[in-house]
C-alpha cells in the first residue's frame, strides 16, 4: 500500500494522461496496521480504525481483490483468483504487467504440534484480534455460569505461545482488559484468571534488548502472569496444553504467535529465494538477477548496509518495510526514467512495546525507558506511523475519550455467526460445532 501510495503521487501526470497504470492486487480491500491489533483486542481502539481502506487512499489505482496463485515473469503475467472467479465460471484472471512489486508479507509459522490446528488461534489479522476479545469475555461468561469446577478452570486459563511483540503485547493488553472486566462478575475475581506465556528461548521481546526483556518478565510476573522461558508447547489435544517441562493446563484458549514465515505465494513465482523462503533482493530493492521485479517488507531479504558484519539482512519489521516502500517507489520511477537507483539504508532506531495500559518498554537510540514514559512513546510513535490523517485523528480521539470514560466490556461473539439468530427463528437448528447458546 505504501509503495502504491507513493507511486500514485510520483506518477500523477502519467496516470491522468493514461501513460501509466497502477494495479494493486490484495486479498482484502484494506491494509491492517498490525501494531494496533493488541489495543483493538483490548477495546482501546475501534476495529475499523486499525484498517485502512485501499480504495479510499489509492483512488488513482486499480484495486483488484483476489489471491495471486502464480506469476510467470517470463511472460510478465500474474494469475489472480478473484471473489467472482467461482461465481461467473470464467476462472482465474490474468493480469499483464511491465514492473511487478511483490510485497505479500508473512503468515503465521506453525509447527506440527498435535491439536494446534484444531484449537489454536493466531494474532495477525483484525478478525483474529476481535474474535479473541469476544472469546475471552465469553469464557468469563461460561466460568461465571458453570457449576463444573473443571470447566470453570479451563475457561479461565489463557495460554499464549511466543514471546515476541505479538504474543507479549496481545497477552498484556487482554490481561488488562479481562482484569478490569472481572469486577463486573459477582463470582469471578481477577486472581481467578490464569495467564500463561510460553517462550522456547530464554528471553522475551529480544528486539528491546536483554535488560528490558528481563524487566518485562518481572513486570508480567508481578501481575501474576506465569512466564515459562526455555519451554515449548508439546501438545494441545483435547484442549489440554502440554508443555515441555511436564506441565499440563486444561484450557479453552490457546493463542499461537510463535513466529512468521514468508507468504506461500513466493514459492509460485519462480524467482530466487533464500533459505528462509524470502526473495533474494539487492540494496536497490530489485530481485537479484531479475529485471523488472521488486520486493520489500517481510517477503524480501534485503542487505543491511548499516550492519557491521557483511551478509546481514534487514529485520522483517514495519520499521524497515515502510521505509523500504518509499525507496522502492522512487526506484521504480527512476527505472522508468532511466535514472540511477538509490540503495536502501536505514540505521535501526530502536524498539517500543506495550505491556498493557500505562505500561511499556522502549529502547530508543541507545536509551532504555520503561513504565509510563515507554508506553507514552509507544503510542506517540505508532500514532505518527498509522497511515492517513483521518486514522490519526480518530485514534487520538478514541484515546482521549478513553481517559475520561470506562472500558467497554461487551462481547459480540454473534458477529462470527450472523445468521444464527435468523436460522433459529426459521426453525433450523444451530450449526454443529458453533458457539451458539440456547
Amino acid at each position: 500500500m505504501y509503495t502504491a501510495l507513493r507511486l500514485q503521487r510520483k506518477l500523477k501526470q502519467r496516470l491522468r494522461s493514461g501513460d501509466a497504470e497502477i494495479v494493486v492486487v490484495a486479498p482484502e480491500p484494506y491494509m491492517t496496521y498490525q501494531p494496533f491489533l493488541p489495543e483493538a483486542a483490548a477495546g482501546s481502539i475501534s476495529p475499523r480504525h486499525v484498517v485502512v481502506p485501499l480504495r479510499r487512499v489509492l483512488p488513482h489505482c486499480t484495486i483488484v481483490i483476489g489471491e495471486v496463485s502464480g506469476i510467470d515473469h517470463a511472460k510478465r503475467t500474474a494469475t489472480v483468483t478473484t471473489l467472482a472467479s467461482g461465481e461467473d465460471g470464467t476462472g482465474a484472471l490474468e493480469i499483464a504487467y511491465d514492473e511487478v512489486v511483490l510485497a505479500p508479507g508473512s503468515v503465521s509459522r506453525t509447527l506440527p504440534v498435535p491439536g494446534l490446528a484444531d484449537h489454536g488461534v493466531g494474532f495477525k489479522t483484525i478478525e483474529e484480534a476481535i474474535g479473541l476479545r469476544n472469546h475471552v469475555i465469553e469464557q468469563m461468561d461460561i466460568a461465571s455460569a458453570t457449576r463444573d469446577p473443571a470447566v470453570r478452570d479451563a475457561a479461565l486459563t489463557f495460554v499464549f505461545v511466543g514471546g515476541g511483540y505479538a504474543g507479549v503485547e496481545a497477552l498484556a493488553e487482554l490481561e488488562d482488559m479481562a482484569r478490569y472486566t472481572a469486577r463486573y462478575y459477582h463470582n469471578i475475581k481477577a486472581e481467578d484468571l490464569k495467564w500463561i506465556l510460553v517462550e522456547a528461548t530464554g528471553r522475551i521481546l529480544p528486539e528491546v534488548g536483554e535488560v528490558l526483556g528481563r524487566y518485562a518478565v518481572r513486570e508480567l510476573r508481578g501481575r501474576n502472569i506465569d512466564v515459562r522461558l526455555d519451554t515449548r508447547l508439546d501438545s494441545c489435544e483435547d484442549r489440554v496444553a502440554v508443555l515441555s517441562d511436564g506441565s499440563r493446563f486444561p484450557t479453552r484458549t490457546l493463542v499461537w504467535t510463535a513466529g512468521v514465515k514468508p507468504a506461500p505465494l513466493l514459492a509460485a513465482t519462480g524467482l530466487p529465494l533464500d533459505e528462509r523462503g524470502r526473495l533474494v533482493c539487492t540494496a536497490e530493492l530489485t530481485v537479484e538477477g531479475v529485471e523488472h521485479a521488486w520486493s520489500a517488507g517481510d517477503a524480501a531479504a534485503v542487505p543491511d548496509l548499516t550492519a557491521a558484519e557483511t551478509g546481514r539482512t534487514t529485520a522483517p519489521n514495519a520499521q524497515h518495510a515502510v521505509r523500504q516502500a518509499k525507496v522502492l517507489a522512487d526506484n521504480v520511477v527512476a527505472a522508468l526514467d532511466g535514472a540511477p537507483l538509490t540503495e536502501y539504508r536505514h540505521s535501526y532506531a530502536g524498539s517500543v512495546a506495550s505491556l498493557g495500559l500505562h505500561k511499556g518498554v522502549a529502547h530508543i537510540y541507545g536509551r532504555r525507558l520503561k513504565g509510563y514514559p515507554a508506553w507514552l512513546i509507544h503510542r506517540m510513535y505508532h500514532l505518527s506511523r498509522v497511515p492517513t490523517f483521518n486514522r490519526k485523528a480518530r485514534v487520538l480521539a478514541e484515546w482521549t475519550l478513553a481517559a475520561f470514560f470506562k472500558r467497554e466490556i461487551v462481547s459480540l461473539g454473534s458477529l462470527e455467526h450472523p445468521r444464527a439468530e435468523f436460522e433459529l427463528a426459521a426453525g433450523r437448528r444451530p450449526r454443529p460445532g458453533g458457539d451458539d447458546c440456547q
Side-chain angles (χ1 to χ4, degrees):
M1 191 209 75
Y2 279 101
T3 302
L5 187 63
R6 193 167 181 87
L7 282 173
Q8 182 178 255
R9 295 170 184 164
K10 293 275 187 176
L11 301 175
K12 184 182 296 184
Q13 296 300 326
R14 298 185 219 192
L15 289 169
R16 286 178 178 174
S17 64
D19 293 334
E21 182 185 14
I22 303 171
V23 180
V24 178
V25 181
E28 303 292 347
Y30 53 79
M31 186 211 77
T32 302
Y33 190 72
Q34 291 188 350
F36 278 160
L37 288 181
E39 292 207 45
S44 300
I45 300 177
S46 173
R48 66 182 184 278
H49 298 157
V50 179
V51 298
V52 182
L54 297 181
R55 298 186 192 279
R56 174 176 290 179
V57 299
L58 302 173
H60 304 298
C61 299
T62 300
I63 308 297
V64 178
I65 305 305
E67 299 264 2
V68 176
S69 56
I71 289 179
D72 188 338
H73 194 60
K75 296 181 179 179
R76 307 268 191 95
T77 60
T79 303
V80 181
T81 303
T82 68
L83 295 175
S85 295
E87 298 288 338
D88 56 19
T90 57
L93 180 68
E94 277 208 352
I95 300 177
Y97 61 82
D98 297 295
E99 307 284 337
V100 62
V101 176
L102 292 161
S106 57
V107 298
S108 296
R109 177 176 60 86
T110 59
L111 299 176
V113 176
L116 179 60
D118 297 320
H119 305 298
V121 62
F123 199 80
K124 279 187 65 65
T125 68
I126 188 64
E127 292 84 0
E128 288 174 328
I130 303 309
L132 186 57
R133 169 188 170 82
N134 293 335
H135 176 79
V136 168
I137 297 176
E138 285 174 357
Q139 296 311 303
M140 296 178 70
D141 289 336
I142 291 171
S144 176
T146 185
R147 288 174 287 181
D148 187 334
V151 172
R152 175 186 169 91
D153 182 61
L156 295 181
T157 300
F158 307 94
V159 179
F160 286 67
V161 182
Y165 279 128
V168 172
E169 291 192 337
L171 182 150
E173 291 283 356
L174 283 166
E175 189 273 340
D176 248 357
M177 182 270 294
R179 182 159 29 88
Y180 176 86
T181 304
R183 68 178 67 181
Y184 295 99
Y185 288 82
H186 70 282
N187 59 351
I188 295 179
K189 299 179 181 178
E191 50 267 29
D192 294 337
L193 281 71
K194 186 183 299 181
W195 299 84
I196 303 160
L197 177 63
V198 180
E199 168 54 40
T201 68
R203 57 194 287 197
I204 65 172
L205 296 175
E207 298 86 355
V208 300
E210 188 173 352
V211 173
L212 290 178
R214 289 199 299 267
Y215 166 81
V217 170
R218 292 196 302 271
E219 165 68 24
L220 294 176
R221 286 175 173 167
R223 290 157 57 180
N224 204 30
I225 296 173
D226 187 354
V227 181
R228 303 286 180 111
L229 302 178
D230 297 310
T231 307
R232 300 179 309 279
L233 176 70
D234 285 346
S235 169
C236 56
E237 289 183 305
D238 300 321
R239 287 185 167 178
V240 177
V242 181
L243 308 185
S244 59
D245 61 5
S247 303
R248 298 171 61 88
F249 297 99
T251 178
R252 298 167 64 92
T253 309
L254 191 140
V255 185
W256 180 269
T257 63
V260 296
K261 63 182 180 181
L265 157 67
L266 302 181
T269 64
L271 299 175
L273 306 178
D274 69 357
E275 66 281 359
R276 296 182 181 179
R278 301 175 300 173
L279 289 166
V280 180
C281 294
T282 66
E284 292 83 7
L285 303 174
T286 63
V287 177
E288 192 169 88
V290 182
E291 294 183 343
H292 311 293
W294 313 76
S295 187
D298 289 6
V302 179
D304 189 349
L305 301 183
T306 64
E309 63 269 27
T310 58
R312 185 175 174 179
T313 58
T314 57
N317 58 36
Q319 185 176 148
H320 282 299
V322 171
R323 289 170 171 82
Q324 287 172 0
K326 294 180 180 179
V327 175
L328 194 160
D330 290 345
N331 280 346
V332 169
V333 176
L336 295 176
D337 295 338
L341 306 184
T342 303
E343 292 182 333
Y344 172 74
R345 291 175 182 271
H346 171 65
S347 298
Y348 193 55
S351 299
V352 292
S354 168
L355 298 178
L357 190 63
H358 300 158
K359 300 174 283 291
V361 290
H363 191 190
I364 307 294
Y365 295 111
R367 297 191 61 184
R368 299 187 186 97
L369 299 170
K370 53 191 177 183
Y372 185 85
W375 172 82
L376 189 60
I377 289 176
H378 172 270
R379 280 201 159 182
M380 291 172 58
Y381 173 76
H382 286 303
L383 184 65
S384 71
R385 294 300 172 185
V386 68
T388 77
F389 177 78
N390 181 309
R391 286 291 173 279
K392 296 180 196 295
R394 290 177 182 272
V395 170
L396 182 59
E398 287 196 310
W399 283 342
T400 304
L401 290 173
F404 299 99
F405 298 99
K406 296 180 179 180
R407 283 178 184 258
E408 291 290 348
I409 60 169
V410 176
S411 165
L412 297 175
S414 59
L415 290 175
E416 297 163 28
H417 304 289
R419 295 191 67 248
E421 187 68 24
F422 185 79
E423 288 176 353
L424 281 172
R428 293 183 57 183
R429 304 177 70 178
R431 286 172 291 177
D435 297 328
D436 308 307
C437 297
Q438 297 202 46

